[in-house]
């Protein structure tokens, strides 16, 4: 009955549905209190909305990690025969008029990447499922799915932060006030990324900074940039923008993450779990990425896509239960695509 | 234990097995023949044709520079690295009997001592665990008679295996010519 009421009251309902809705409204105004009360209860049930709704996290890794399905629980990835830093071992040399050119034997390596299973479940009593005044089923599945999204967010970003920390390079603007995001930090990160990316100015596959992930507070700092940092035209652009901030600078796209910032989840992971240090008295980290070749840098193999099942064994317990399973992995294959900074 | 890509191998020996990696199994060092029973004839697949690194090289018989790694892994759990030249303990290994290569298996990289004496033209000697050194070690005399000029032979503690063609670089690699 609940679903039929929703259909009847929806826009674009057909003649039959509208006729039923009209009848319900008439009964709701009936002189007979019993008929009216019953009809009013039906209308209230169909039109009820839930309040104090929890907000599940959204996906913040799919734009970064290259997802590819695999039918095995592990994949083998070959490394290049030219290891970074050994380019100088293959420079040509002068030869005399005769003599045998010696050999230069190279070899590669490989890594194995395993996927792992993540799971979650959600249950409620059958009474709650029956008597709730909103679509409990849809909401339960939303929450269940949101759990997987959050888990993959955390695992993916912890992989990125670990890779950046392991690289041993952190860029910061020594001239800036600690805790203030400045344009110079962006330009410095671009230069450092280039310097440590291998190759020279005309190399085809050298690394460059394309995207920068910062906190909402860093975005807010842009509104305070004075003329000594940016020209007035840029300040005007900031003031007129919907978010009060630039979407990019020097060819680098900005992305704001709620999980970055003082006391936020990924910031605490960097300083606490990884034991990372920021420059000077800096307060926040920023994460720079090269997203031009995601399949060579950040991969998320999926050996089993998310499957949600209803647990039919709990009916006797008076429960409605769902559970889900997914097998994924995360890897940063080349740390030169990640660069951490701080301000 | 490593080799740089540059090398020129004049003479290969693919006759020998490595069954003991107690003193190491990495490439770039000089291995010696093992066992009291020597292989005979062509010995291309002879079980007595074995080599390994020795802790003390005095009196040993150098056979060549090992050009691959020897590892001891459980093949039911993992595979040999397909990207590298790697062999399982008990397998045949390629040896460079004559030629030059750039190796970091120099005495001092793996312990006390200095590689300052390793220069182009200096003789190369085999010391412990397959490492190469410019130090001949102790010099001793073996005497077969009483005539000094004909019955005495001067020997070095460390067998001579070739000569160095360069000194060690900042990463500890030097070019060495092996001639066995």
């Amino acid at each position: 009955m609940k679903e039929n009421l929703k259909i009847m009251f929806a826009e674009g309902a057909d003649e039959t549905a509208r006729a039923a809705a009209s009848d319900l409204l008439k009964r709701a105004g009936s002189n007979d209190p019993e008929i009216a009360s019953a009809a009013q209860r039906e209308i209230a049930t169909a039109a009820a909305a839930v309040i104090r709704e929890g907000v599940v996290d959204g996906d913040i890794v799919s734009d970064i990690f290259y997802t590819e399905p695999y039918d095995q629980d592990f994949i083998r990835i070959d490394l290049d025969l030219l290891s970074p830093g050994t380019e100088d071992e293959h420079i040509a040399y002068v030869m005399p008029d005769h003599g045998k050119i010696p050999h230069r034997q190279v070899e590669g390596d490989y890594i194995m990447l395993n996927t792992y299973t993540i799971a979650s479940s959600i249950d409620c009593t059958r009474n709650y499922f029956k008597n709730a005044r909103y679509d409990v089923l849809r909401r339960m599945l939303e929450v269940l799915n949101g759990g997987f999204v959050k888990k993959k967010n955390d695992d993916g970003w912890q992989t990125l932060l670990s890779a950046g920390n392991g690289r041993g390079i952190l860029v910061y603007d020594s001239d800036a006030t600690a805790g203030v995001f400045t344009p110079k930090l962006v330009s410095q990160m671009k230069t450092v990324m280039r310097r440590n990316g291998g190759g020279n100015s005309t190399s085809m596959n050298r690394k460059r900074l394309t995207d920068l992930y910062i906190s909402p507070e860093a975005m807010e700092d842009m509104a305070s940039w004075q003329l000594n940092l940016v020209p007035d035209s840029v300040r005007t652009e900031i003031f007129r923008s919907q978010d009060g901030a630039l979407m990019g600078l020097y060819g680098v796209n900005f992305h704001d993450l709620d999980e970055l910032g003082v006391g936020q989840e990924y910031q605490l992971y960097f300083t606490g779990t990884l034991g990372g240090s920021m420059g000077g008295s800096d307060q926040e980290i920023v994460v720079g990425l090269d997203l031009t070749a995601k399949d060579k840098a950040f991969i998320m193999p999926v050996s089993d896509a998310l499957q949600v099942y209803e647990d039919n064994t709990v009916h006797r317990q008076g429960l409605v239960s769902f559970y889900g399973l997914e097998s994924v992995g995360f890897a940063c294959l080349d740390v030169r695509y990640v660069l951490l900074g701080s301000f | 234990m490593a080799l740089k890509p540059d090398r020129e191998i004049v003479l290969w020996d693919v006759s020998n097995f490595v069954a003991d990696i107690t003193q190491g199994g990495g490439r770039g060092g000089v291995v010696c023949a093992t066992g009291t029973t020597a292989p005979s004839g062509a010995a291309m697949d002879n079980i007595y044709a074995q080599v390994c690194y020795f802790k003390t090289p005095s009196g040993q018989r150098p056979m060549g520079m090992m050009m691959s790694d020897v590892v001891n892994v459980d093949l039911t759990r993992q595979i040999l690295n397909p990207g590298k030249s790697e062999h399982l303990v008990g397998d045949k290994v390629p040896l460079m009997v004559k030629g030059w290569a750039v190796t970091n298996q120099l005495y001092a990289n793996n312990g006390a001592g200095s590689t300052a004496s390793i220069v182009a033209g200096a003789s190369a000697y085999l010391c412990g665990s397959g490492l190469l050194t410019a130090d001949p070690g102790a010099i001793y005399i073996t005497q077969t008679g009483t005539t000094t000029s004909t019955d005495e032979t001067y020997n070095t503690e460390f067998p001579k295996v070739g000569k160095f063609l360069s000194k060690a670089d900042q990463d500890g690699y030097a070019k060495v010519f092996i001639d066995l």
Side-chain angles (χ1 to χ4, degrees):
Chain A
M1 175 58 74
K2 196 183 299 184
E3 291 303 316
N4 290 337
L5 286 171
K6 289 181 183 174
I7 294 171
M8 284 193 293
F9 284 110
E11 289 185 14
D14 60 14
E15 282 294 326
T16 306
R18 283 202 291 272
S22 177
D23 174 67
L24 181 61
L25 287 171
K26 289 177 182 175
R27 284 190 286 119
S30 171
N31 291 329
D32 185 338
E34 286 187 11
I35 296 175
S37 176
Q40 288 165 9
R41 274 202 302 274
E42 285 185 38
I43 293 173
T45 303
V50 64
I51 62 171
R52 294 189 183 180
E53 198 176 56
V55 181
V56 294
D57 285 359
D59 181 3
I60 55 173
V61 289
S62 295
D63 286 344
I64 299 172
F65 284 85
Y66 175 78
T67 304
E68 191 166 334
Y70 294 93
D71 55 4
Q72 289 183 308
D73 291 336
F74 59 90
I75 58 172
R76 193 189 95 188
I77 303 170
D78 287 332
L79 274 58
D80 189 24
L81 56 86
L82 181 65
S83 300
T86 64
E87 294 87 352
D88 287 350
E89 295 176 5
H90 296 273
I91 299 176
Y93 45 86
V94 174
M95 275 290 291
D97 63 338
H98 67 281
K100 183 181 178 185
I101 301 173
H103 295 267
R104 266 181 176 165
Q105 186 165 324
V106 294
E107 56 186 15
D109 207 340
Y110 74 99
I111 59 170
M112 297 295 290
L113 179 61
N114 289 331
T115 60
Y116 56 95
T117 302
I118 57 177
S120 186
S121 63
I122 191 163
D123 320 275
C124 71
T125 62
R126 286 210 312 277
N127 274 344
Y128 180 69
F129 192 84
K130 182 178 67 175
N131 295 320
R133 296 169 63 197
Y134 67 103
D135 190 346
V136 174
L137 172 63
R138 178 186 60 82
R139 188 60 180 155
M140 286 173 70
L141 295 178
E142 273 182 8
V143 172
L144 180 65
N145 185 67
F148 285 92
V149 170
K150 171 62 176 169
K151 174 61 177 170
K152 287 188 286 187
N153 285 350
D154 290 347
D155 288 356
W157 270 95
Q158 287 171 8
T159 301
L160 292 175
L161 291 171
S162 298
N165 185 53
R167 192 177 181 187
I169 301 176
L170 187 133
V171 182
Y172 68 99
D173 180 4
S174 57
D175 295 330
T177 304
V180 177
F181 179 63
T182 59
K184 189 179 177 187
L185 175 62
V186 181
S187 64
Q188 283 182 326
M189 289 183 72
K190 278 195 69 172
T191 303
V192 172
M193 193 102 169
R194 171 177 171 167
R195 276 291 180 198
N196 293 277
N200 65 358
S201 56
T202 55
S203 295
M204 296 298 293
N205 60 342
R206 71 180 325 190
K207 316 304 173 281
R208 60 187 184 87
L209 185 65
T210 62
D211 293 78
L212 190 66
Y213 291 79
I214 57 180
S215 67
E217 288 77 18
M219 297 287 273
E220 188 186 2
D221 281 347
M222 296 183 202
S224 304
W225 284 351
Q226 301 299 316
L227 289 173
N228 62 327
L229 294 177
V230 291
D232 199 43
S233 59
V234 174
R235 297 175 73 232
T236 303
E237 183 183 340
I238 293 172
F239 270 77
R240 287 182 175 172
S241 68
Q242 184 174 356
D243 297 320
L246 294 173
M247 289 299 101
L249 193 62
Y250 308 138
V252 178
N253 300 315
F254 293 155
H255 308 267
D256 55 335
L257 281 189
D258 287 43
E259 290 84 350
L260 293 175
V262 176
Q264 299 304 317
E265 188 175 351
Y266 296 161
Q267 173 86 19
L268 294 176
Y269 179 80
F270 174 76
T271 56
T273 305
L274 297 179
S277 301
M278 293 175 282
S281 306
D282 288 352
Q283 301 172 4
E284 295 186 29
I285 59 167
V286 299
V287 181
L289 301 177
D290 178 354
L291 296 182
T292 56
K294 288 189 284 185
D295 58 329
K296 293 183 179 180
F298 316 113
I299 65 167
M300 182 173 71
V302 178
S303 57
D304 284 308
L306 175 61
Q307 297 282 339
V308 177
Y309 307 93
E310 182 180 2
D311 187 352
N312 296 321
T313 65
V314 295
H315 185 274
R316 189 173 182 175
Q317 302 169 39
L319 297 176
V320 175
S321 178
F322 299 91
Y323 62 95
L325 295 157
E326 188 176 10
S327 293
V328 297
F330 290 92
C332 175
L333 303 178
D334 191 338
V335 295
R336 294 174 299 172
Y337 286 85
V338 184
L339 182 66
L340 298 184
S342 69
F343 65 90
Chain B
M1 291 187 168
L3 289 168
K4 289 289 187 179
D6 294 273
R7 62 196 66 178
E8 183 62 31
I9 302 172
V10 178
L11 183 62
W12 288 96
D13 183 3
V14 294
S15 312
N16 298 281
F17 298 89
V18 170
D20 178 5
I21 56 172
T22 307
Q23 295 300 318
R27 65 186 72 181
V30 174
V31 290
C32 300
T34 70
T36 55
T37 304
S40 59
M44 291 305 294
D45 248 5
N46 195 307
I47 61 170
Y48 299 116
Q50 295 185 22
V51 293
C52 72
Y53 291 129
F54 276 86
K55 187 175 182 180
T56 52
S58 178
Q60 303 298 338
R61 297 159 284 160
M63 294 293 286
M65 175 179 279
M66 201 149 73
M67 303 304 287
S68 300
D69 296 323
V70 179
V71 295
N72 188 7
V73 296
D74 181 357
L75 293 183
T76 64
R77 290 271 184 182
Q78 63 188 94
I79 61 174
L80 291 175
N81 192 332
K84 293 191 178 297
S85 179
E86 196 173 82
H87 303 273
L88 192 65
V89 169
D91 270 349
K92 281 267 191 77
V93 288
L95 301 182
M96 178 177 73
V97 180
K98 190 168 186 176
W100 61 264
V102 183
T103 179
N104 68 346
Q105 293 309 293
L106 310 173
Y107 181 66
N109 285 353
N110 293 342
S114 170
T115 56
S117 58
I118 294 178
V119 293
S123 294
Y125 299 89
L126 170 64
C127 62
S129 302
L131 302 180
L132 301 171
T133 178
D135 180 5
I139 298 176
Y140 60 96
I141 301 171
T142 54
Q143 193 170 1
T144 58
T146 57
T147 305
T148 306
S149 60
T150 58
D151 297 337
E152 289 181 346
T153 305
Y154 287 83
N155 304 284
T156 58
E157 177 187 3
F158 299 150
K160 183 176 178 181
V161 295
K163 70 175 178 183
F164 290 101
L165 300 180
S166 72
K167 70 174 185 178
D169 63 11
Q170 69 273 15
D171 296 324
Y173 285 85
K175 187 190 292 184
V176 59
F177 180 79
I178 300 296
D179 186 4
L180 293 170

